[in-house]
Amino acid sequence: MPPRLQLGAHRGLSSTTYIIRLPVRRPQRRFASSSTDTPEIYDVVCVGGGPAGLSLLAGLKASAITSGLKVALIEGQDLQKSRLRKDASLDSFSNRCSSLTPASVKNLQEIGAWRHVHASRVQPYHEMQVWDGVSDARISFDWESARTPFTPRKPSQPTTIAYMIENLNTTTALLSRLEELGGVDIYSATKVESIELGTDTQQLDMTSWPVVSLSNGKSLAARLLVGADGANSPVRTFAGIPSRGFDYNRHGVVASLQLSGPGWGGLDHKIAYQRFLPTGPIAMLPLPGNMATLVWSTTPERAAILKSLSSDDFIAMVNAAFRLSPTDLEYLHTLSSGQKDEVAWRERHTPAQERAIPQRVSFVQPGTVASFPLRMRHADTYTGERVALVGDAAHTIHPLAGQGLNQGQGDAAALFRTISHAVSTGQDIGSTLALESYTADRYAENNAMLGVCDKLHRLYSVGSGPLVGLRSLGFRAVDAIGPLKGFFMGRAAGGS
Amino acid sequence: MKSSRSLRSLATICRQQTADPLRMFHNVRTTRVPTIPTSRPYSSSTTTSTTPPPPKSSVDPTEVAHFNALASSWWDPHGPSRILHLMNPLRHTFISRCMHGTPRTSKPPSALPSKNLRYLDVGCGGGIFAESAARLPTTASVTAIDPTPSVLAIAESHKRRDPTLTLPGRLNYLNTSIEHLPVPSNPSNDAYDIVSIFEVLEHVSAPGPFLEMAMKQVKPGGWLVMSTIARTWTSWLVTNVVAEDVLGIVPKGTHEWSKYVNEDELRAWFLERGWGRVGNEMRVQGVMYVPGLGWQEVGGSESWGNYFLAVRRPDDE
Ligand SMILES: Cc1cc2nc3c(=O)[nH]c(=O)nc-3n(C[C@H](O)[C@H](O)[C@H](O)COP(=O)(O)OP(=O)(O)OC[C@H]3O[C@@H](n4cnc5c(N)ncnc54)[C@H](O)[C@@H]3O)c2cc1C
């Protein structure tokens, strides 16, 4: 949210970091019409209808304890337009896909949303191949090799590492679930224009209540204002919660691709691939049939070149990125076109174990090559008086572990638990006391995940020198020790 | 009168030998209030009410004066009442367990209605419990009384921050003490489903007569719920010597250890009066503040620390 928007008074958040409370000024004209004079009072106002916000609301409405809360959703985009069509073709996929962990799927099942998912568009995968682009040291992850030699696999143990799913599929399922449950006032295609604190009238002292003014002229007072409004969260700005971090000076290039086959393991044993290059990791993640989704983090300059290439040259570059040396790749990025022939020639001189890398890209779905800047951000806290942050509003993570969306699901589930406990014990769900357990529940865990992904990024940004040897050693050691691998996979799968 | 709850909790912390939560008490004013020796059936008058004082009162005037001084920081989540705020959810868990029985024990003969409950909170202080009870969807109304005007003013002003609480009839504060409440003439109709007395007993001059007045306010089949702290050498040492004298973090005169009531004494007292004779009609739960974990239910701790006790009024009374 650009700062020109009036985002209201900054408020003190904790006993230690008080920010001076600015006097609240309200332009007279906005409240001239009597219909907006008194804001409508809600228990929960959620700004942002992304995966995190929708998941929280579905959780609240699916529970007998919290379903009585008066709840509103505000989303700037048109939620109906951004829904997955029922007859969507399995030959075309959105370029924003996420790897949902079993823990996230379980949560979506518990709130009754998972059965609304377009199941044919979800691809579980059972194996991960990760290797170092400089030294070629490799780890393969699957539950079979992760067990110890002494403990045979129990039938209850999972075989699925995670589920590839379009974000659109997740949000569409959550919206269907919300429609089924009812009871949410949805303000779609409506922006938050400003957030200010309420006023003290004779009867009521609303000076601790955020009042959200919408682009449609309405204003809503929130007992609890939830910021599920993404990385540039206006709610976070209103609450005066600092968010710290940095830009990686990397972009994530995404695309929906068709491969020459369903994968080396066939349709029933899908494999995810990730190769660490000095510019960042490139990942090929399986989708149904022969489809796959690409996430390639690279420098902004290279991202710009990749986006400018013809389909044939782009395909050649993706194939090359899994096969050729970093030196070859560096050269290929200096060409403005002709990569196709150049790659074909170089590949003839580079022996590759084809079965250890993703099958060749044969087709790129038009219009899906896109890029976005990679950032790491972490809010200082997730809660303030009558404010809670979930998802990207609270933290933005390097996508190399595919955890962004999952963290948001974990946040939504934890905030639901906090609200539910507060309701059943008569606490004011907006009070800092009631909200404390949410920050306590999530902060350390998210921080650890952000830290691990950040360190991985740094470790693999190094192209030569002793670190390369050390990290290769690490790769090989982890790969050789089954139980240790089991631990890493448990973390990746959202367990503990 | 209930800001002492924080001190009660503090007592438990001290027992845990952890200094960290104590910093929350730094801004408590440590005005010394003289403590009157305690061998009284009733103190003679109350200094707080504008209505003419009754011949006898359960309210100890020194206690009233003392809590006036503490009142201002009542609702500060990091203030001296923090640990008391943290305890509040446990009270609700305890009450709903009383009302709904447990899988092991059968339900009370005629269970309370699960909706439209009427509460009376005696010694409501700044309204921590009263507000939370009034917010529950199963609540019809809460009447909350306290004899200290300044404390009640805080409760009234805090209530205005929540539109739910200002709904007509939802939460009524009365500046009075229990002996001024009219005794219900037809208890099945006018009495309360739940009468709560949290962290009050230990400040009352004569618990027996005080409780007898409270019992009259309970509907047949309803519950009288209280919490207090046992009178043991540990509690005396911690609340009176360590907290007040050694550490100086609890205002002097907050506690009079001799007023503490033990759980077995309370139990016997109610049984003598015919309350709680059926197995699941009297419940006790010891609670303890564990730094890092918050308030925990600890079986057996009722005999030496903070505890909840609830007793159900027989249906035929
Ligand atoms: C381009 C891009 C590609 C990504 N690709 C991947 C990927 O491949 N894999 C992966 O795991 N993660 C990916 N991520 C990250 C992932 O999308 C996020 O982690 C996830 O969407 C976060 O969900 P959220 O609900 O917290 O926020 P968002 O999905 O960002 O939702 C926030 C919502 O708030 C709304 N909003 C914001 N401001 C206002 C306002 N003032 N008024 C009303 N509404 C408002 C927005 O319209 C938006 O719908 C990608 C992110 C981006 C930006």
Side-chain angles (χ1 to χ4, degrees), chain A residues 1 47-53 74-77 95-99 167 190-192 228-231 234 254 295 371-372 390-393 399 402-405:
Chain A
M1 188 61 32
V47 182
I74 303 158
E75 169 54 54
Q77 299 184 10
N95 59 1
R96 277 186 84 172
C97 294
S98 293
S99 166
N167 287 6
T190 309
K191 281 219 168 267
V192 168
D229 42 0
V254 292
V295 185
S371 80
F372 55 97
V390 292
D392 276 20
Q403 292 300 319
L405 197 133

Side-chain angles (χ1 to χ4, degrees), chain B residues 199-241:
Chain B
E199 314 294 321
V200 170
L201 278 186
E202 63 274 22
H203 301 283
V204 165
S205 310
F210 174 79
L211 286 175
E212 268 167 2
M213 285 183 280
M215 288 164 81
K216 296 198 178 105
Q217 301 291 340
V218 183
K219 199 183 256 183
W223 287 83
L224 179 61
V225 189
M226 58 222 102
S227 69
T228 187
I229 187 168
R231 180 182 72 254
T232 59
W233 287 108
T234 19
S235 65
W236 178 78
L237 193 71
V238 170
T239 53
N240 292 52
V241 179

Side-chain angles (χ1 to χ4, degrees), chain A residues 200 205 209 223 426 436, chain B residues 82 92 135 160-162 164:
Chain A
D200 194 344
D205 173 6
W209 287 55
R223 182 185 291 281
E436 265 175 16
Chain B
R82 176 177 168 80
H92 290 285
R135 250 182 232 113
R160 290 174 60 251
R161 293 168 166 226
D162 188 340
T164 304

Side-chain angles (χ1 to χ4, degrees), chain A residues 40-278:
Chain A
E40 196 168 348
I41 290 170
Y42 282 89
D43 290 311
V44 178
V45 173
C46 177
V47 182
L54 293 175
S55 182
L56 171 71
L57 295 180
L60 290 174
K61 283 293 157 186
S63 150
I65 294 171
T66 49
S67 61
L69 295 174
K70 188 173 175 189
V71 169
L73 167 67
I74 303 158
E75 169 54 54
Q77 299 184 10
D78 187 335
L79 287 167
Q80 292 310 322
K81 275 192 196 150
S82 53
R83 271 176 102 146
L84 189 60
R85 291 210 328 273
K86 280 218 162 53
D87 56 352
S89 152
L90 284 174
D91 295 330
S92 101
F93 280 82
S94 154
N95 59 1
R96 277 186 84 172
C97 294
S98 293
S99 166
L100 272 191
T101 62
S104 294
V105 171
K106 185 162 167 278
N107 179 53
L108 289 169
Q109 283 167 340
E110 279 166 9
I111 63 178
W114 189 248
R115 61 190 147 83
H116 293 279
V117 154
H118 292 224
S120 61
R121 305 182 71 82
V122 179
Q123 182 59 61
Y125 61 90
H126 312 89
E127 187 181 335
M128 263 191 297
Q129 291 283 339
V130 182
W131 70 102
D132 189 327
V134 178
S135 71
D136 271 344
R138 181 179 282 263
I139 308 191
S140 65
F141 288 104
D142 64 73
W143 287 109
E144 191 52 35
S145 69
R147 66 186 172 82
T148 70
F150 311 108
T151 49
R153 203 181 79 79
K154 291 187 229 90
S156 61
Q157 270 174 338
T159 56
T160 298
I161 293 174
Y163 302 78
M164 286 309 301
I165 183 170
E166 296 154 290
N167 287 6
L168 208 56
N169 197 352
T170 308
T171 49
T172 302
L174 283 164
L175 275 172
S176 303
R177 177 61 175 149
L178 277 181
E179 269 165 18
E180 183 178 79
L181 290 163
V184 178
D185 292 348
I186 298 180
Y187 298 93
S188 170
T190 309
K191 281 219 168 267
V192 168
E193 303 248 290
S194 70
I195 310 171
E196 290 165 342
L197 291 172
T199 51
D200 194 344
T201 62
Q202 284 289 306
Q203 300 81 34
L204 272 178
D205 173 6
M206 301 287 278
T207 51
S208 71
W209 287 55
V211 176
V212 180
S213 302
L214 307 184
S215 52
N216 64 5
K218 264 189 94 80
S219 62
L220 319 178
R223 182 185 291 281
L224 173 62
L225 177 64
V226 175
D229 42 0
N232 298 319
S233 170
V235 171
R236 192 185 61 222
T237 308
F238 158 73
I241 300 177
S243 175
R244 297 165 208 274
F246 44 82
D247 294 351
Y248 282 102
N249 192 30
R250 289 288 184 282
H251 278 213
V253 178
V254 292
S256 302
L257 306 171
Q258 196 175 65
L259 307 184
S260 59
W264 298 112
L267 288 169
D268 298 327
H269 183 91
K270 287 276 195 166
I271 307 167
Y273 297 90
Q274 190 164 40
R275 186 189 192 200
F276 282 92
L277 294 166

Side-chain angles (χ1 to χ4, degrees), chain A residues 230-480:
Chain A
N232 298 319
S233 170
V235 171
R236 192 185 61 222
T237 308
F238 158 73
I241 300 177
S243 175
R244 297 165 208 274
F246 44 82
D247 294 351
Y248 282 102
N249 192 30
R250 289 288 184 282
H251 278 213
V253 178
V254 292
S256 302
L257 306 171
Q258 196 175 65
L259 307 184
S260 59
W264 298 112
L267 288 169
D268 298 327
H269 183 91
K270 287 276 195 166
I271 307 167
Y273 297 90
Q274 190 164 40
R275 186 189 192 200
F276 282 92
L277 294 166
T279 43
I282 178 168
M284 185 77 82
L285 302 154
L287 290 174
N290 293 1
M291 298 297 290
T293 186
L294 173 80
V295 185
W296 186 350
S297 21
T298 187
T299 61
E301 299 76 27
R302 290 191 184 188
I305 293 164
L306 289 171
K307 282 196 290 184
S308 71
L309 297 178
S310 69
S311 289
D312 280 352
D313 286 339
F314 180 79
I315 289 169
M317 284 301 276
V318 175
N319 285 328
F322 284 101
R323 289 165 176 80
L324 298 183
S325 71
T327 321
D328 282 339
L329 290 171
E330 195 175 331
Y331 170 71
L332 289 166
H333 279 97
T334 60
L335 309 178
S336 55
S337 66
Q339 276 86 351
K340 187 183 177 196
D341 296 336
E342 189 68 32
V343 169
W345 183 82
R346 278 166 196 265
E347 277 192 9
R348 262 180 269 138
H349 302 277
T350 315
Q353 273 189 297
E354 282 295 322
R355 294 189 74 90
I357 53 183
Q359 290 179 324
R360 277 174 189 280
V361 179
S362 52
F363 180 72
V364 53
Q365 192 182 310
T368 62
V369 182
S371 80
F372 55 97
L374 301 184
R375 301 182 178 131
M376 162 141 127
R377 292 275 190 283
H378 203 184
D380 282 5
T381 175
Y382 297 169
T383 56
E385 194 177 9
R386 304 203 178 281
V387 172
L389 305 176
V390 292
D392 276 20
H395 42 68
T396 314
I397 190 171
H398 194 292
L400 69 82
Q403 292 300 319
L405 197 133
N406 293 298
Q407 283 183 308
Q409 295 301 298
D411 295 346
L415 184 55
F416 161 70
R417 284 194 299 274
T418 290
I419 293 173
S420 173
H421 178 251
V423 168
S424 59
T425 54
Q427 296 177 74
D428 182 341
I429 61 170
S431 68
T432 52
L433 268 160
L435 293 170
E436 265 175 16
S437 66
Y438 167 60
T439 298
D441 216 11
R442 293 300 295 166
Y443 200 88
E445 189 172 329
N446 284 332
N447 207 35
M449 183 59 83
L450 289 163
V452 167
C453 293
D454 179 50
K455 287 188 183 68
L456 274 176
H457 168 81
R458 283 162 201 285
L459 188 56
Y460 287 96
S461 305
V462 179
S464 63
L467 261 185
V468 175
L470 276 178
R471 74 183 185 219
S472 306
L473 213 65
F475 255 101
R476 294 199 174 100
V478 171
D479 193 42

